Amino acid sequence: MSLPGPDWARIAPGWDPAARTDRDDEAAEAELDALGRTADRVAGGGIRAAVLGVNDGLVTNLCFILGIAGASVDAATVRLSGLASLIAGALSMAAGEWVSVRGQREVAEGMEGALRDAWRRSPPVVMAHLAQSMRRRGLDAETAARATRGVVSAGRSARRTSLRILFGVSAQDAGSPVVAAVSSLLLFAVGALVPLVPWFVTEGAAAVTASAVATALASLAVGGALGRGSGRSAVRTALRQLLIVAAASAVTYGLGTLAGGAVP
């Protein structure tokens, strides 16, 4: 006896099975493949570290440079200070990302060990919790029980899958500390270099203006890329990014100007 087909009217109310085409199937396959690649990068920690790195590099070094420039120091001092900020910031970001991701991974590994102990002490209790967790996600009792038995029969991956179902975490989901650290270091350096470059070709008000403009354009590009990647409005995300940079820069430049005027 064959099982009844899916109730498409309930599962996908806006989709007409009679209008299904090979092109639509291929487009859906391509979209899922792209989402899988994105999910791998998110799980690896690379996207988060890269976004944080380039954004922090732009904001930190522009604010630092404008703060120094606001104090009316010479261009050579700004260049040296900007380079020092770039190196120190990139290394600090890399170290912070590595420690953070590694710590998160170790906590998840510890949870896997504790779950292994629970399996060894009383498998029925763990299976009952798995079934309850699946029911909270919308499965009926019979389906949840079948799914639980399927998880248990998965062999070596059962513990990892159980941890993800029960608590929403796993050691693999924490990402790679190395990927996060390297991405953060490189992208921070790239972002921090943008406001610094004009000071190697000009100085004074021209360099200040060029730094601000270059950073604004880079911020718009980063915000636009984030907006497109997340499916949100690229314009809105880009403008939000620009507003954050502009506000931080104005504050630090103003503070630098006040400090320069107060110090004889």
Side-chain angles (χ1 to χ4, degrees):
M1 180 178 178
S2 60
L3 296 174
D7 183 0
W8 295 117
R10 182 173 62 87
I11 297 173
W15 183 66
D16 181 7
R20 181 180 182 182
T21 65
D22 291 341
R23 179 176 295 181
D24 288 337
D25 289 352
E26 292 171 0
E29 289 283 359
E31 188 68 30
L32 290 173
D33 289 342
L35 287 172
R37 291 191 295 272
T38 301
D40 289 340
R41 292 195 297 273
V42 171
I47 287 183
R48 182 182 65 88
V51 170
L52 286 174
V54 69
N55 189 63
D56 282 359
L58 287 168
V59 175
T60 299
N61 225 28
L62 177 65
C63 291
F64 187 81
I65 288 170
L66 293 185
I68 296 293
S72 301
V73 299
D74 58 275
T77 301
V78 174
R79 287 193 295 269
L80 180 60
S81 299
L83 283 173
S85 173
L86 184 155
I87 295 170
L91 293 175
S92 175
M93 287 287 294
E97 283 292 334
W98 192 92
V99 171
S100 173
V101 176
R102 183 59 192 170
Q104 184 178 351
R105 192 179 186 91
E106 289 173 348
V107 168
E109 289 171 350
M111 292 177 67
E112 284 188 2
L115 183 59
R116 181 174 59 248
D117 292 340
W119 272 113
R120 187 165 54 244
R121 291 177 180 276
S122 180
V125 169
V126 179
M127 292 180 66
H129 278 267
L130 282 171
Q132 290 173 6
S133 180
M134 292 182 186
R135 292 195 65 182
R136 285 195 296 269
R137 288 169 169 78
L139 299 183
D140 58 66
E142 182 180 353
T143 304
R146 288 201 306 267
T148 298
R149 290 192 293 270
V151 169
V152 174
S153 65
R156 295 181 62 183
S157 64
R159 187 171 66 252
R160 183 187 311 163
T161 305
S162 299
L163 185 66
R164 186 179 289 112
I165 293 173
L166 288 170
F167 306 109
V169 299
S170 77
Q172 286 66 36
D173 291 341
S176 166
V178 174
V179 170
V182 172
S183 299
S184 184
L185 185 149
L186 294 179
L187 271 297
F188 183 97
V190 170
L193 192 61
V194 170
L196 183 59
V197 167
W199 290 90
F200 287 93
V201 295
T202 186
E203 59 184 31
V208 169
T209 302
S211 288
V213 170
T215 304
L217 293 175
S219 298
L220 287 172
V222 170
L226 286 174
R228 288 192 299 272
S230 63
R232 299 179 179 180
S233 169
V235 174
R236 180 177 298 177
T237 309
L239 292 176
R240 181 187 65 189
Q241 195 80 3
L242 178 60
L243 180 61
I244 292 171
V245 174
S249 302
V251 169
T252 51
Y253 185 76
L255 291 175
T257 301
L258 291 174
V263 177

